Amino acid sequence: MTRRRSIAQRLAMHTPLARWGFTVLAVIALATAQTGPFLACAVLAAYAWRCR
């Protein structure tokens, strides 16, 4: 029987690239006053940091 992978593992959200990449994108979106992309990237960054 195969073991099912979690959503975080399928999306590779536990990698350092995901953690730092989404964090940097959120900071850039905040610096350029783009609230929509900032909120999306901030949520993804928080999830990636939580999955580590």
Side-chain angles (χ1 to χ4, degrees):
M1 181 163 36
T2 60
R3 192 172 150 194
R4 293 183 63 185
R5 295 184 338 179
S6 69
I7 292 172
Q9 288 174 332
R10 276 186 251 143
L11 295 176
M13 294 295 281
H14 60 282
T15 63
L17 179 61
R19 289 192 298 264
W20 289 106
F22 285 122
T23 302
V24 168
L25 286 175
V27 169
I28 291 171
L30 181 64
T32 57
Q34 299 177 5
T35 54
F38 165 71
L39 291 174
C41 290
V43 168
L44 289 171
Y47 184 69
W49 280 100
R50 187 170 180 248
C51 288
R52 65 181 182 135

